[in-house]
Amino acid sequence: MQLSGLIQDSRAANKNYDYLWAQGRVNSGLSALHFIKISIMKYLFSLALVFSLASVSFAQNLKSAAPTVQAENTEAREATEALVQKYSLSARQAQTMYRIQERKLRNLAEIAEYETSNPELYRSKLSSVQQGTLASIRRLLDSDEQRRIYQQTQLEVRNKRNEKRKELMLEGADADAIDMALLLLYAE
């Protein structure tokens, strides 16, 4: 609160004091300054009470979000371990891969609400998350062998997607169902 606000509050309190004194509701032993001090103390006490309640509420929200973060970390760790094995990543690369997997899981959690409410937006965002993750992994790989494994994996995914597209088209599936099925065929 600014000083001008306190001055205005003290003037209002002084007017209130004068009004109450004129009605005889104020003990004549209390001065206007004392009345102002009491008013300010009440205001500060109520402000502290509101702040403490807000901080308790915020802390409870953090505790309820903690299991989700723990589950994401476990999933990110497992995915990272599999990719470390697959690409023979160094310790530095493994740390970066872990951050990539955490970001992917965080992004997937953010878009999960759109899966049922707006499927078209969900497919678009899912595709963006997958492309971003693949680009990050591609930049991370620094040996020819790692890049060869990556390219081989992407070739296999493309082949699986082509087969799945043909299969779904023969079944007469609509374009949205085909797009979603193809997005679910994803590696990394």
Side-chain angles (χ1 to χ4, degrees):
M1 177 179 284
Q2 297 177 354
L3 183 59
S4 63
L6 283 175
I7 292 171
Q8 289 173 349
D9 287 347
S10 66
R11 287 181 186 155
N14 197 10
K15 286 180 185 177
N16 192 20
Y17 174 81
D18 290 341
Y19 174 76
L20 293 174
W21 187 77
Q23 289 186 345
R25 288 199 247 161
V26 176
N27 184 351
S28 60
L30 291 176
S31 67
L33 184 61
H34 185 71
F35 185 75
I36 292 170
K37 286 180 183 178
I38 290 173
S39 298
I40 291 173
M41 291 297 281
K42 287 180 182 177
Y43 176 76
L44 291 175
F45 176 76
S46 51
L47 186 65
L49 181 65
V50 167
F51 179 73
S52 64
L53 290 175
S55 64
V56 167
S57 173
F58 181 73
Q60 287 176 347
N61 287 341
L62 284 180
K63 287 181 181 178
S64 66
T68 304
V69 171
Q70 184 69 21
E72 285 179 4
N73 288 341
T74 302
E75 193 174 342
R77 192 175 333 105
E78 290 172 356
T80 301
E81 288 171 2
L83 292 170
V84 165
Q85 291 285 340
K86 179 178 182 177
Y87 291 112
S88 301
L89 299 177
S90 67
R92 178 193 57 81
Q93 288 175 314
Q95 289 175 343
T96 305
M97 181 63 76
Y98 180 72
R99 286 194 303 270
I100 291 169
Q101 294 301 316
E102 277 187 321
R103 183 176 54 237
K104 177 183 82 171
L105 292 172
R106 189 173 48 249
N107 290 340
L108 289 174
E110 288 175 4
I111 67 170
E113 67 187 71
Y114 300 120
E115 189 170 8
T116 55
S117 66
N118 192 344
E120 186 176 327
L121 179 63
Y122 177 75
R123 284 191 306 274
S124 172
K125 289 187 175 283
L126 179 60
S127 177
S128 295
V129 168
Q130 289 177 352
Q131 290 173 3
T133 301
L134 291 174
S136 295
I137 291 172
R138 191 171 46 246
R139 282 191 304 273
L140 171 70
L141 304 176
D142 55 11
S143 76
D144 291 336
E145 181 62 21
Q146 290 172 340
R147 287 189 202 105
R148 186 193 63 72
I149 294 170
Y150 174 84
Q151 290 171 349
Q152 181 64 34
T153 301
Q154 294 312 304
L155 179 64
E156 291 171 4
V157 169
R158 275 194 303 275
N159 290 337
K160 286 179 184 177
R161 285 181 174 175
N162 286 336
E163 290 173 14
K164 188 69 169 180
R165 177 179 284 120
K166 289 176 187 174
E167 175 187 325
L168 291 173
M169 289 177 82
L170 289 174
E171 292 175 3
D174 65 338
D176 292 339
I178 292 173
D179 287 345
M180 191 61 197
L182 298 180
L183 280 173
L184 295 177
L185 292 175
Y186 174 76
E188 318 295 73

